[in-house]
Amino acid sequence: VNLINHSSQKTNVELRWSTNPYHHKEWLTVELDDYFKLDKPGGIILEVVATRDIAEGEELFLDYGSEWEQAWDQHAENWKPVDGADRYVYPEEMDNTEPVRTVEEQKNRPYPENLANTCFTPNWERDFGVMRWKQPDFDWPEGNVNCHILKREKNAKGDDEYEVSLNFDSYDYTFDPKTPRKKLYIDTHVPRSAIGWVEKAYTSDLHLKNAFRHTIPLP
């Protein structure tokens, strides 16, 4: 279970300290510096326990407590959108069937400021220079790296293929068009399916200054 919403009226689960022998409640009072020195197997374990029979497909609800609920109600009543909220776009809202605009095209038709392109590349161990894209023999998220679209053209089948500049620094979204090609990591013949979208670091709603944050009490 990754996410359990709050409800004080429809609660059907609760948190309990585990009875598993690997749960060490005494660790709750250990100083942080000492905690990392512990070499005993186990941890501090909470369990989500059903308080009644739950039907298949029924949503789980946990009571976060009256203090949390009051804080949320106050937050919701006073909340106002931050500047630029109307320009925010989730990556999932982008049309992955549309051609991706090149760096040059984006000068006149820029994409939302919170988004960046990523390219799925098999070419990780490399020096600066140009490499032809090939289908990776792996499928893992880390294969996606920040990229900038340099060129778009049709292949013999009439499909769009791209020339892209890769940036292996996950937090760097900049591109200097004056950088010599010999100082870039370039993939050619990249299919549209290998290009996607990601939120730039620290731009998601989780990082908004007025995002709601409040503790949930433990049993």
Side-chain angles (χ1 to χ4, degrees):
V1 178
N2 293 321
L3 300 172
I4 303 178
N5 284 321
H6 163 75
S7 175
S8 57
Q9 304 298 321
K10 298 183 289 184
T11 306
N12 52 15
V13 297
E14 65 181 14
L15 296 177
R16 295 180 192 172
W17 290 114
S18 177
T19 58
N20 189 299
Y22 286 102
H23 167 58
H24 305 297
K25 63 180 181 180
E26 68 276 10
W27 288 6
L28 289 167
T29 58
V30 173
E31 294 293 333
L32 184 60
D33 289 341
D34 294 330
Y35 178 83
F36 290 105
K37 298 176 184 177
L38 297 169
D39 58 3
K40 185 177 181 180
I44 301 172
I45 305 173
L46 278 168
E47 295 177 344
V48 179
V49 181
T51 57
R52 61 169 175 79
D53 291 341
I54 298 175
E56 182 178 351
E58 181 181 356
E59 183 174 356
L60 303 183
F61 289 103
L62 176 70
D63 187 352
Y64 294 179
S66 58
E67 183 179 321
W68 185 96
E69 189 168 54
Q70 291 171 8
W72 168 257
D73 290 342
Q74 183 177 3
H75 169 80
E77 182 178 351
N78 299 322
W79 182 86
K80 294 180 180 179
V82 298
D83 292 339
D86 57 324
R87 299 189 300 274
Y88 185 90
V89 176
Y90 287 95
E92 294 80 8
E93 297 180 56
M94 300 300 290
D95 187 346
N96 284 324
T97 65
E98 287 290 323
V100 186
R101 295 194 281 274
T102 65
V103 172
E104 187 65 27
E105 291 171 335
Q106 290 181 49
K107 291 179 180 179
N108 296 320
R109 296 180 61 202
Y111 286 115
E113 294 180 1
N114 66 293
L115 294 181
N117 280 123
T118 62
C119 295
F120 193 58
T121 179
N123 301 320
W124 276 75
E125 298 181 2
R126 60 192 291 178
D127 296 321
F128 290 124
V130 180
M131 296 185 71
R132 186 185 178 102
W133 188 91
K134 61 180 180 180
Q135 181 66 42
D137 57 4
F138 57 82
D139 184 16
W140 35 281
E142 291 80 2
N144 288 289
V145 299
N146 296 334
C147 65
H148 293 83
I149 311 302
L150 304 181
K151 185 188 302 183
R152 181 186 64 252
E153 55 188 8
K154 298 289 186 181
N155 61 18
K157 296 181 179 180
D159 298 324
D160 285 332
E161 286 187 340
Y162 297 82
E163 180 179 275
V164 305
S165 173
L166 305 173
N167 192 333
F168 290 94
D169 183 343
S170 300
Y171 297 96
D172 186 1
Y173 308 99
T174 61
F175 175 76
D176 184 357
K178 296 180 181 179
T179 303
R181 287 175 64 87
K182 63 182 180 181
K183 291 293 185 180
L184 296 175
Y185 300 100
I186 295 177
D187 275 0
T188 66
H189 300 84
V190 180
R192 177 62 183 87
S193 59
I195 303 174
W197 300 92
V198 67
E199 290 173 309
K200 294 179 181 178
Y202 310 116
T203 64
S204 72
D205 47 11
L206 178 67
H207 296 93
L208 295 177
K209 292 182 178 179
N210 64 344
F212 179 71
R213 297 175 177 86
H214 198 281
T215 56
I216 299 174
L218 298 177

